Amino acid sequence: GFFQSYAVEVDIKDASNATCLYADWMMRFLITYESNNGDYKTTTLNLSSSVTHNGSVCGNDTQAALVAVQFGEGHSWSINITKNNETYQGDFITLTYNTNDTAVFPDAKRKGPVTVLVKDPLHPVQLNTVFVCHNSYFIEAENTTQIFWNVTVQAFVQNGTVSKKESRCPADTPTSAPTVPPTIANVTTAFTTTLSPAPTTAPKPVENPETGNYSLKSGNKTCFLATVGLQLNISQDKPLLININPKTTVADGACGNTTATLKLNDGNSTLIGF
């Protein structure tokens, strides 16, 4: 299945009612949590159709700008952006998800808000320049994966007008066009709830995928071991085959009493979960 996502637009005004901070983007979150019976499950947290941005501030030479949004049943996300001479840069990203939201966490063992703090990995942007990233990129920390796409941000806007000069993210190329929201086609999220049906007639693979060895440890003991070659057959306008390269793929996850979750990230916008 495919998930419904909503865009967020934040346009903060200064005392003279001129735009001082502008952001427009889409995002979703993959969160691994422990259930009541000790299993570990991965769920998807999407933005709701109603998003507020209470607490967002313009910032200045001595105070960081802040983009803060609140959505759903007690969830929030924010990023503070600092100014340094002729550039601005995201500093820390804070995600707070609320496991009391039974629609997203129906059987969470831990109840209440959980906060994850992570350093923004993106590069500084020149002042009077808008940061743009059409293609999706990921930030992983503490059993969460934050996915962003169709991002447009400018902090410390000058003269109330968002700049037409762009700074593009590494995921974009000079010729890349805006992408559709992450789906199986461009951000492969192959958890059991997000697999799309296989094509009726699958093309023969050009080559077999290389076999990789993936494992998880619980303490000093191995609790999950997989030796497997992985190839994704994506159903879209034209069937697309993707081989997972074990040399560039990182294994992560967790083991529960009766269930283990293995996450494989190939570093190239493909995330697979078992």
Side-chain angles (χ1 to χ4, degrees), residues 13-194:
K13 309 288 187 180
D14 61 17
S16 62
N17 202 35
T19 296
C20 60
L21 189 156
Y22 179 82
D24 188 352
W25 76 101
M26 300 185 78
M27 64 182 174
R28 72 163 55 104
F29 311 97
L30 305 179
I31 301 171
T32 300
Y33 69 97
E34 186 179 5
S35 66
N36 288 322
N37 60 8
D39 296 342
Y40 283 86
K41 299 182 178 180
T42 299
T43 188
T44 302
L45 175 61
N46 292 302
L47 294 181
S48 59
S49 57
S50 177
V51 178
T52 58
H53 52 82
N54 299 325
S56 298
V57 295
C58 294
N60 51 42
D61 290 341
T62 59
Q63 179 187 9
L66 179 68
V67 179
V69 295
Q70 304 83 36
F71 59 98
E73 300 296 324
H75 312 296
S76 63
W77 180 93
S78 66
I79 180 171
N80 63 320
I81 305 172
T82 55
K83 182 179 179 182
N84 184 15
N85 296 325
E86 298 301 316
T87 65
Y88 65 91
Q89 183 176 18
D91 191 5
F92 284 99
I93 295 173
T94 304
L95 166 66
T96 298
Y97 59 90
N98 184 12
T99 58
N100 286 325
D101 184 350
T102 56
V104 182
F105 307 95
D107 55 352
K109 181 177 181 179
R110 176 181 177 178
K111 297 295 184 181
V114 179
T115 297
V116 176
L117 186 69
V118 60
K119 182 75 174 176
D120 182 7
L122 297 179
H123 54 75
V125 179
Q126 290 292 318
L127 293 176
N128 200 31
T129 302
V130 61
F131 172 78
V132 176
C133 192
H134 294 308
N135 288 288
S136 55
Y137 63 94
F138 305 82
I139 299 176
E140 293 186 322
E142 299 181 34
N143 293 326
T144 67
T145 300
Q146 303 183 39
I147 307 173
F148 305 89
W149 71 101
N150 287 351
V151 177
T152 301
V153 177
Q154 184 178 351
F156 308 101
V157 176
Q158 300 176 13
N159 302 320
T161 303
V162 176
S163 176
K164 294 183 179 180
K165 181 181 178 182
E166 295 183 354
S167 172
R168 301 296 284 268
C169 65
D172 286 0
T173 64
T175 57
S176 64
T179 60
V180 297
T183 64
I184 301 302
N186 60 3
V187 178
T188 306
T189 310
F191 294 97
T192 54
T193 56
T194 61

Side-chain angles (χ1 to χ4, degrees), residues 201-221:
T201 58
K204 293 182 179 180
V206 175
E207 59 182 9
N208 291 327
E210 184 177 349
T211 300
N213 296 302
Y214 309 102
S215 63
L216 300 177
K217 287 187 177 295
S218 179
N220 59 357
K221 295 182 179 180

